[in-house]
Amino acid sequence: GMIWSECKEIWEEGPREYVLHLWNLLDFGMLSIFVASFTARFMAFLKATEAQQYVDQYVQDDDLNNVTLPPEVAYFTYARNKWLPSDPQIISEGLYAIAVVLSFSRIAYILPANESFGPLQISLGRTVKDIFKFMVIFIMVFLAFMIGMFNLYSYYLGAKYNPAFTTVEESFKTLFWSIFGLSEVISVVLKYDHKFIENIGYVLYGVYNVTMVVVLLNMLIAMINNSYQEIE
């Protein structure tokens, strides 16, 4: 029903007018993810049905452990921890979780009707521009330290107390969660006696935390507060 409603809206308003409203893009994205989730789950169901039909047709023994099954059929007897990362059921569950989160944002449609929540939502929407301006500086600083720390520790894979900064992915995760105080100082400590590298790691990690947490985040709070006062 919601998909039909969106199709009617696109037909009546035209694609150009439809895209200009951010709420429409949110609805379209949410419904697209739901459809993708249901499609992936249906694919998993079809594959499982085919495997079950094979078992019903060719396997006489009730205990499947005593039977040699083709790999594509035996796969459906495995526990979840042996499923492929690209299994349609796993993809479906991940997409469904995202779609459920987006679906709750539809509550925001009725907030402007309330005298308390309405101004807050309008202010939040209008401060998004300030947040995007801030994100340019934020991303620039983040990338600088992420690549720098990776270059510093990429040669010490397996020679650290944790894998932080040894790969680009680990470097990203460590610096990102560091913003929320969820990373440890031991991330820069080496098992080798290379104090020069370790000291540089301490300095860069410290400068990053001061720059991000103390300076930039407080600057963002001040920008949002100033924008909110003006909009109010």
Side-chain angles (χ1 to χ4, degrees):
M2 292 172 65
I3 292 173
W4 176 247
S5 175
E6 291 299 311
C7 291
K8 282 178 62 180
E9 195 169 346
I10 294 173
W11 179 264
E12 292 170 0
E13 296 182 3
R16 181 182 179 83
E17 188 67 25
Y18 179 86
V19 171
L20 291 177
H21 298 284
L22 292 179
W23 285 116
N24 290 335
L25 296 179
L26 177 64
D27 285 344
F28 184 84
M30 178 192 71
L31 294 173
S32 299
I33 296 173
F34 267 127
V35 169
S37 172
F38 296 147
T39 302
R41 187 160 300 195
F42 184 67
M43 289 172 58
F45 171 75
L46 290 180
K47 291 290 185 182
T49 303
E50 291 176 5
Q52 185 63 53
Q53 289 175 347
Y54 177 90
V55 171
D56 294 341
Q57 187 173 357
Y58 297 106
V59 178
Q60 305 298 327
D61 198 328
D62 293 335
D63 188 0
L64 294 180
N65 293 323
N66 300 326
V67 180
T68 302
L69 297 172
E72 64 274 11
V73 176
Y75 177 80
F76 290 93
T77 65
Y78 299 157
R80 178 178 283 261
N81 62 340
K82 294 184 179 179
W83 290 3
L84 294 172
S86 58
D87 189 287
Q89 180 69 19
I90 294 177
I91 301 298
S92 172
E93 291 167 0
L95 293 175
Y96 190 78
I98 296 172
V100 166
V101 172
L102 293 177
S103 69
F104 274 83
S105 63
R106 290 179 62 84
I107 298 173
Y109 278 123
I110 61 173
L111 290 183
N114 184 281
E115 64 180 12
S116 299
F117 295 114
L120 287 174
Q121 182 184 325
I122 294 168
S123 299
L124 178 61
R126 293 182 182 177
T127 54
V128 168
K129 291 182 180 179
D130 290 336
I131 294 174
F132 276 118
K133 292 177 185 176
F134 170 82
M135 288 302 293
V136 174
I137 302 174
F138 179 89
I139 292 173
M140 182 177 67
V141 174
F142 186 88
L143 285 176
F145 281 94
M146 183 183 77
I147 296 171
M149 295 296 280
F150 165 69
N151 286 334
L152 185 66
Y153 285 103
S154 59
Y155 303 103
Y156 292 93
L157 183 62
K160 294 178 80 271
Y161 289 98
N162 61 30
F165 306 121
T166 52
T167 65
V168 174
E169 181 184 0
E170 289 294 336
S171 184
F172 174 86
K173 289 193 292 187
T174 305
L175 293 181
F176 178 79
W177 291 113
S178 174
I179 299 172
F180 307 99
L182 299 178
S183 293
E184 301 175 345
V185 180
I186 201 173
S187 299
V188 301
V189 178
L190 295 171
K191 293 180 180 178
Y192 299 162
D193 189 26
H194 290 187
K195 289 300 180 183
F196 181 72
I197 296 294
E198 197 170 288
N199 289 335
I200 291 178
Y202 274 118
V203 171
L204 289 179
Y205 199 42
V207 171
Y208 168 81
N209 280 282
V210 170
T211 305
M212 280 297 211
V213 179
V214 179
V215 180
L216 290 182
L217 284 184
N218 283 288
M219 185 188 300
L220 175 61
I221 294 170
M223 287 171 58
I224 293 175
N225 184 57
N226 183 56
S227 299
Y228 177 76
Q229 295 296 333
E230 292 179 2
I231 292 164
E232 190 182 34

